[in-house]
Amino acid sequence: MVKKRVTLADVARLAGLSSTAASMILTGRPDTRLSAEAHERVHAAAAQLGYRPNIAARALRTDKTRTIAFISDYVATTRFASGLIRGALDAAEKANHVMLVLETGGEPAREVQAIEAALDRQVDGIVFAAMRSREIFVPDVPANTQVVMLNGTSAKYRNSVLADEFAGGRAAVEALLARGMGQQIALIGHNELAERGLFRSETVEKRFAGIRHAMEEHKLAFVAEESCWEWEPHHGYELVRKLLKQGPKFTALLCLNDRLAFGAYQALAEAGLRIPTDVAVMGFDNDELASYLRPGLTTVALPHEEMGRKAVSLMMGDDEPREHLIDMPLVVRGSI
Amino acid sequence: MVKKRVTLADVARLAGLSSTAASMILTGRPDTRLSAEAHERVHAAAAQLGYRPNIAARALRTDKTRTIAFISDYVATTRFASGLIRGALDAAEKANHVMLVLETGGEPAREVQAIEAALDRQVDGIVFAAMRSREIFVPDVPANTQVVMLNGTSAKYRNSVLADEFAGGRAAVEALLARGMGQQIALIGHNELAERGLFRSETVEKRFAGIRHAMEEHKLAFVAEESCWEWEPHHGYELVRKLLKQGPKFTALLCLNDRLAFGAYQALAEAGLRIPTDVAVMGFDNDELASYLRPGLTTVALPHEEMGRKAVSLMMGDDEPREHLIDMPLVVRGSI
DNA sequence: TCCTCTTGCTAAATGGTTTTAGCAGTTGCA
DNA sequence: TGCAACTGCTAAAACCATTTAGCAAGAGGA
């Protein structure tokens, strides 16, 4: 409990060598000319004393901390953030790094603070994660600090990781059509303003673009479209009730996320419609909810964990610096 | 981009003073005798150069890093972890600290690694968070490193933060009875083995003890009890189907968590029973799900954010070191 | 023999901050 | 006048690891 830290000097003393020698041996320098016996003695001494290098002291010389920062606008408001974090954490651990997590709430003042706090601690790199994809503004950082955008892009930094929303949108439509029951598809959740870029959200834009592209390829049009600003279950519930009351008949329902689909299930059940017999339902995100529903909701997954992992491995220089798109896998359950 | 770090020496030079003076002034030492003019000059110089102290260098002398570690078994497997993290993050930010997040998966080897990684970086304190409450084993840490247990306890460290599960259990029963409809209560999710401590989970034990206590106070017994190992929606679904098929009639259903309640809703709906008219339903945790259901699920909330916040503020020494119980608020929605 | 290379190692500088010890110069008091 | 106390400041050590420059001894070659 009270024992003092073991320093490199202690190890060197016990091994009967200089700390220079101990340092070189323990850091595994390649071209040193120290004897095999010296190596052995130093390693033995280090093991015996339980030596652990003081990272702050090392950072002072080397400017490397084996620490990265994960700065996001919201950590838990959206349940997805934790997937990103977990993936990032996993990759960081594999690369023998630790991760500082910072939350900004999207407020510029806190963003600046978070970045400064990270730089003060000389992190080796920063992952900027946005819960809603958008252009992220990032202040200058020192040249030797890596920057990766996660679920967002930046004009200044080319390293970024995004979900392949366009392909995902197409996949959803293809999945509905492949079951041979998707001739009369209704869509809920699309927001025209978003598409026009007034309320900028690249995610939604690209997802929808993919959907539209697939529909056009098949020379199809939606039999109905209902849009809304937010995509919570009760919105889905209300939109579907509206569709059922006044809209045309539909045999498939494409929901722009799983939460909308959740509400849709409730409205369909109330109306006595069976899934997938009467209506096939399809969502996006692979929210935890999707597996709870009866029947299970077929959905196009947002691969958050994979994205987090990729962002960190990109930071470690495992791949070329550019925009990386991560596949959105189709998760097939009973709803189509 | 390429600009070098501004050091204390730079500030001192610009102010025309020694770095000793600059250090004392910027760290706000109380009993220094430096002139008002010196103060002014140093602050002006620091502001002009945009000086930020190098935390690694400072840590070398002071052993304080304004960094804490949050070590948990699972970050995102349970959706609750993010609540704990968010609360902790919030409190840390308020106290001008940053947080290192580490995940161990409950594996002892990774636990040791995580602790060492944290100590190598000279964190000021460590929060050990367990997703399933239990006795946590914690290796020795240096005397000046604070330790707080979050959602778990440890023989060695007295600082801990737990949800007040006993009171929560009572509150659930009281809430059912208060509505005057809870005379025939069925319970799902309790596990006898857990209660006997074979599969040690203090959370479940205390929650159930509170429930039992309240029942006894009112001289009531459950009309049926169905237990199971895991508490996922489909378990709730199956247990309730079983109850409906072979069990006695019940007018209230107490589910040991919200996910079970979710499954219960599905089973009740299939059987044509209405909530709350035919059966009142009550859950625990205040899972995101609870608000999505129709009618909304009344539940006893696990105050994760509050717990995370408390753990960090306890670490900062804002309260006496002991076991702290956090209230579990009753969240009333339409299901009772 | 002298010179150069190689081998195996170390002294000392370095990074940026805090902190201890102490130095001039002035004031206060007897 | 003599001495203590105060005022306003600084030099240098300390924290711990990395890295540069270089030393001493032995080997090899001419």
Side-chain angles (χ1 to χ4, degrees), chain A residues 181 249-253 268 271-281:
Chain A
M181 49 199 321
K249 189 173 150 49
F250 56 93
T251 59
L253 181 65
L268 292 171
L273 292 170
R274 312 223 116 217
I275 303 170
T277 336
D278 300 323
V279 179
V281 181

Side-chain angles (χ1 to χ4, degrees), chain B residues 87-325:
Chain B
L89 224 42
D90 183 47
E93 189 184 336
K94 294 228 163 74
N96 217 325
H97 282 237
V98 298
M99 207 169 90
L100 228 38
V101 175
L102 297 153
E103 198 186 32
T104 68
E107 301 162 31
R110 289 174 71 199
E111 266 171 26
V112 170
Q113 275 180 15
I115 292 173
E116 286 183 341
L119 293 179
D120 287 352
R121 283 158 186 86
Q122 291 171 268
V123 294
D124 297 343
I126 304 183
V127 174
F128 286 96
M131 287 309 108
R132 353 188 163 173
S133 281
R134 49 158 187 144
E135 182 85 5
I136 307 175
F137 168 73
V138 182
D140 279 339
V141 303
N144 63 339
T145 305
Q146 299 299 311
V147 172
V148 176
M149 300 288 129
L150 179 51
N151 206 35
T153 57
S154 150
K156 215 185 302 178
Y157 300 98
R158 304 163 49 220
N159 260 339
S160 65
V161 176
L162 297 165
D164 191 351
E165 293 276 359
F166 186 86
R170 293 183 58 171
V173 173
E174 299 292 350
L176 279 178
L177 296 180
R179 313 286 138 160
M181 48 200 323
Q183 303 314 317
Q184 293 152 288
I185 309 178
L187 176 88
I188 61 172
H190 167 234
N191 186 306
E192 307 90 347
L193 289 178
E195 194 193 356
R196 285 200 222 114
L198 290 182
F199 176 55
R200 188 168 181 77
S201 164
E202 290 196 39
T203 299
V204 176
E205 269 178 57
K206 289 191 186 145
R207 183 177 291 184
F208 189 70
I211 290 172
R212 202 166 40 192
H213 184 91
M215 291 295 279
E216 279 164 11
E217 257 182 356
H218 289 276
K219 308 219 186 303
L220 286 174
F222 291 113
V223 298
E225 283 185 43
E226 289 292 341
S227 77
C228 59
W229 279 102
E230 286 179 284
W231 296 357
E232 294 296 324
H234 70 272
H235 300 109
Y237 176 79
E238 278 142 28
L239 291 182
V240 170
R241 274 170 59 109
K242 194 165 148 200
L243 272 183
L244 290 172
K245 201 170 297 177
Q246 42 179 264
K249 188 175 150 51
F250 56 92
T251 58
L253 181 66
L254 183 51
C255 308
L256 259 72
N257 79 358
D258 291 347
R259 293 142 80 86
L260 286 171
F262 185 103
Y265 265 57
Q266 294 169 327
L268 292 171
E270 272 187 23
L273 292 170
R274 311 224 117 215
I275 302 171
T277 335
D278 300 322
V279 179
V281 181
M282 176 93 201
F284 278 92
D285 293 356
N286 196 27
D287 206 315
E288 205 172 36
L289 291 170
S291 69
Y292 295 164
L293 293 171
R294 302 195 151 250
L297 175 63
T298 295
T299 185
V300 177
L302 265 178
H304 283 106
E305 216 168 312
E306 189 55 32
M307 290 169 69
R309 212 187 318 271
K310 182 74 184 184
V312 169
S313 91
L314 202 53
M315 167 167 301
M316 301 297 165
D318 292 350
D319 204 338
E320 46 175 327
R322 59 169 171 84
E323 189 172 297
H324 289 265
L325 295 181

